[in-house]
Amino acid sequence: MFPEGMDMNALLEQAQQMQVQLQQARDDLQNASFSGTSGGGLVEATVTGGGVLTGLVIKPEAIDPDDAEGLADLVVAAVRDATSKAAEEAEKVMPDLGSLGL
C-alpha cells in the first residue's frame, strides 16, 4: 500500500505537527486586531482576524447632521479597509493547503 521505505510513523508525526502549526496560526489570527480608516482618518474601525468589529472611532468633524448617509459610507469604508487588512494577513500566515492536496 505504501512505497517501500516510507516511514508511516514519521509521516503521521509530520501531519500532527502541521496540524498544531495550523491551529496556532488560526489562534494568532483570531487574537490579532486590524485597523482601517476612511475619510482621511475621520473614521477608524478595528476588527479581529475573524472579522469581528471591536472598535469604531468617529471624529467629531465627520459628523454632519445633514449627511448621515455620508457618515455611513465612511464607516462602511473603514470596516472594509480593516477586514481587507485582516484577510491579507490571513493569506500571509496560513499555509497554502492547496499545495498539500487538501
Side-chain angles (χ1 to χ4, degrees):
M1 180 168 196
F2 295 105
E4 192 171 322
M6 178 178 263
D7 184 353
M8 192 59 185
N9 288 331
L11 187 61
L12 287 173
E13 185 176 322
Q14 183 180 12
Q16 287 174 333
Q17 288 174 354
M18 287 177 59
Q19 186 176 13
V20 167
Q21 290 173 343
L22 180 60
Q23 187 59 49
Q24 183 62 48
R26 283 184 186 145
D27 292 346
D28 291 346
L29 189 60
Q30 289 295 320
N31 294 322
S33 291
F34 301 90
S35 294
T37 61
S38 66
L42 291 176
V43 176
E44 180 179 356
T46 304
V47 298
T48 66
V52 175
L53 181 65
T54 59
L56 183 64
V57 176
I58 301 172
K59 291 188 177 178
E61 54 268 28
I63 301 170
D64 179 355
D66 296 326
D67 188 18
E69 187 175 311
L71 179 56
D73 290 343
L74 289 174
V75 170
V76 169
V79 172
R80 282 186 183 155
D81 185 36
T83 55
S84 174
K85 289 176 181 176
E88 288 174 14
E89 184 64 19
E91 286 182 24
K92 287 183 203 174
V93 300
M94 299 302 278
D96 181 8
L97 298 180
S99 67
L100 300 175
L102 301 176

